[in-house]
Amino acid sequence: NTRERSIFMTVQLSTHEKLEQVCKAFRIQGSLQSYEEIKVGNVNKTYRVNFLQEDGKRKSYIVQAVNTYVFKNPVQVMSNIDLVTEHIHAKAPKKRVLHFHHTADRKTYLMDDKGFWRLFNYIPSNTYNTTDNLDIIRNAGEAFGQFQMMLSDFDASSLYETIPNFHNTPDRCRLFREAIERDAVGRAAAVQPEIDFALAREAEMSILQNLLSAGEIPLRVAHNDTKLNNVLLDAKTRKALCVVDLDTVMPGSSLFDFGDAIRYGASTAAEDERDLSKVEMSLERFRVFTRGYVRACPNLTARELELLPLGAKTITLECGMRFLTDHIDGDLYFAVHREGQNLDRARAQFKLAADMEKKWDDMRRIVAEETKA
């Protein structure tokens, strides 16, 4: 036990020292008093570090070791983040936005033999993975709408495409067909109904990318991970403070962000729900998120507004197809914690998309009503 405690103390001391080095590189003043690992999220390693400043005040920061296996071009990721956050800050200095600290040579990252590091301000707040509270859902819609609005005059083409073809649905369809043809682990025959469901909607899934490529809808800065838990909310008022997790910020469409938010936030069940009778697209949640989003971003074009329901359906179908592709390939991309989990995810997304089809006229009516209000 004594030896185990000694090893544990050594590990803790090593981590403490490393965090001190990182904070010093980012010119943080004061002394590191304590730290804690934040285990929300499964990509980067995240710590909250607590400093005692020379004036006796305490201040906290977030230190992250970026997962360079997932983000193979982390310098490009940080370039995108730096450009976007600095643009928002310069345009609206009082607007809450993540502030990434710079090293002495003005870099927003530190690369050493222990990894790729960054440091940004800690914002006291609450987050929600799921909620039935319509005010929170509306506030999340407002937060992502404001994010889009603040960047409506930003040249999205100046950003790196850090994950090529991320929402290029025609290309996702190509990869899906290749996986079916390859049938690497012999699963395709057992999921023919799901394959047929996706392929029957291939042309519809491709509409948004085709419009974007043709310049019929504008290229915008896309967040690309608009889940509810990527909005920090005031603990008392539940008003949105800030949009976080900017690692997937790159050129794209506002419709991708709206669609992913609806796929995640308006569903009445978990992403991998096995009981498909529980999976529906809540029109009530759809309405309040839409209200928050469109009113916070009046710069959306008439064509974008018209296509918001298709954005929701497209991203839901695309995610379902990606889950099914991975199931057919043998679960190589998405982490699975039980047998058949990717298939469960695909079926849940397809059920959600099918429910959207049933409620299509209502979705279009709601967008029209909230746009005119």
Side-chain angles (χ1 to χ4, degrees):
N1 286 343
T2 301
R3 182 174 178 272
E4 289 176 356
R5 278 199 303 272
S6 174
I7 293 172
F8 178 75
M9 291 291 288
T10 301
V11 171
Q12 291 296 94
L13 181 61
S14 174
T15 304
H16 189 282
E17 288 179 338
K18 185 62 209 174
L19 290 173
E20 277 189 319
Q21 291 174 3
V22 171
C23 292
K24 184 177 180 180
F26 285 105
R27 301 179 292 175
I28 301 302
Q29 301 299 310
S31 59
L32 175 59
Q33 299 293 295
S34 62
Y35 71 90
E36 57 189 289
E37 185 175 353
I38 299 174
K39 296 186 178 180
V40 176
N42 54 10
V43 176
N44 302 316
K45 205 168 187 65
T46 305
Y47 301 91
R48 175 183 170 182
V49 296
N50 307 303
F51 270 74
L52 179 64
Q53 298 176 316
E54 291 181 2
D55 60 5
K57 294 182 180 179
R58 297 181 182 275
K59 193 167 184 179
S60 297
Y61 305 89
I62 298 295
V63 173
Q64 282 187 325
V66 176
N67 186 329
T68 53
Y69 179 80
V70 173
F71 300 107
K72 300 188 184 304
N73 295 299
V75 175
Q76 292 183 0
V77 169
M78 289 309 302
S79 174
N80 285 358
I81 290 173
D82 194 30
L83 289 171
V84 164
T85 54
E86 290 299 309
H87 180 86
I88 293 175
H89 183 70
K91 192 173 182 181
K94 294 183 180 180
K95 174 69 180 170
R96 279 287 185 97
V97 62
L98 288 185
H99 172 64
F100 285 80
H101 288 249
H102 293 74
T103 60
D105 55 356
R106 295 298 299 165
K107 290 180 179 176
T108 55
Y109 59 88
L110 171 68
M111 212 168 1
D112 62 19
D113 60 340
K114 297 296 183 182
F116 188 97
W117 303 85
R118 63 189 178 195
L119 183 148
F120 53 93
N121 54 317
Y122 169 74
I123 301 175
S125 58
N126 284 355
T127 58
Y128 297 83
N129 290 321
T130 59
T131 183
D132 293 322
N133 187 307
L134 297 180
D135 287 337
I136 292 175
I137 296 171
R138 185 192 66 244
N139 290 342
E142 185 177 315
F144 286 118
Q146 287 178 347
F147 180 82
Q148 187 60 251
M149 180 65 187
M150 297 300 296
L151 294 163
S152 60
D153 60 346
F154 184 93
D155 180 9
S157 66
S158 67
L159 298 177
Y160 290 105
E161 189 180 4
T162 51
I163 307 176
N165 296 314
F166 187 62
H167 280 313
N168 183 338
T169 315
D171 193 63
R172 295 288 187 186
C173 291
R174 176 185 64 80
L175 295 173
F176 179 52
R177 287 182 174 277
E178 288 178 1
I180 297 168
E181 181 69 24
R182 192 165 51 242
D183 196 14
V185 292
R187 290 177 174 177
V191 293
Q192 194 61 49
E194 289 78 12
I195 291 172
D196 292 342
F197 182 91
L199 292 180
R201 291 157 178 81
E202 182 175 1
E204 186 180 23
M205 275 192 278
S206 300
I207 290 173
L208 293 185
Q209 181 59 47
N210 292 339
L211 291 173
L212 189 61
S213 298
E216 294 185 37
I217 54 176
L219 183 72
R220 295 188 185 271
V221 177
H223 182 282
N224 287 311
D225 193 10
T226 48
K227 295 193 292 289
L228 179 63
N229 59 12
N230 279 333
V231 177
L232 302 186
L233 298 159
D234 185 276
K236 293 182 179 179
T237 67
R238 292 176 176 170
K239 292 289 186 182
L241 298 173
C242 184
V243 170
V244 298
D245 199 353
L246 306 179
D247 289 333
T248 52
V249 164
M250 54 186 153
S253 169
S254 62
L255 300 169
F256 300 159
D257 280 358
F258 179 85
D260 201 28
I262 295 300
R263 177 192 76 83
Y264 186 85
S267 175
T268 58
E271 189 176 66
D272 59 352
E273 177 59 57
R274 289 172 166 175
D275 183 354
L276 296 182
S277 67
K278 296 180 180 179
V279 181
E280 293 183 18
M281 203 281 300
S282 164
L283 286 173
E284 195 173 33
R285 296 184 191 180
F286 178 81
R287 179 182 287 278
V288 296
F289 186 90
T290 301
R291 179 179 301 165
Y293 191 78
V294 301
R295 295 185 187 179
C297 189
N299 277 15
L300 294 175
T301 67
R303 189 72 166 128
E304 285 175 299
L305 293 171
E306 175 194 348
L307 291 167
L308 287 175
L310 184 58
K313 184 179 175 184
T314 298
I315 297 303
T316 303
L317 287 168
E318 180 190 289
C319 286
M321 185 172 61
R322 290 179 64 197
F323 290 139
L324 186 56
T325 299
D326 201 32
H327 173 75
I328 294 170
D329 269 340
D331 306 313
L332 302 176
Y333 185 88
F334 296 105
V336 291
H337 307 290
R338 64 170 187 264
E339 186 176 351
Q341 189 173 14
N342 270 324
L343 180 57
D344 293 335
R345 290 166 174 156
R347 286 171 171 165
Q349 297 308 294
F350 290 161
K351 173 63 188 303
L352 188 62
D355 194 53
M356 290 179 185
E357 292 175 345
K358 293 177 183 177
K359 298 170 177 174
W360 197 246
D361 290 341
D362 289 325
M363 292 171 70
R364 295 186 66 186
R365 175 179 54 80
I366 287 170
V367 169
E369 289 172 354
E370 294 302 332
T371 301
K372 292 177 182 177

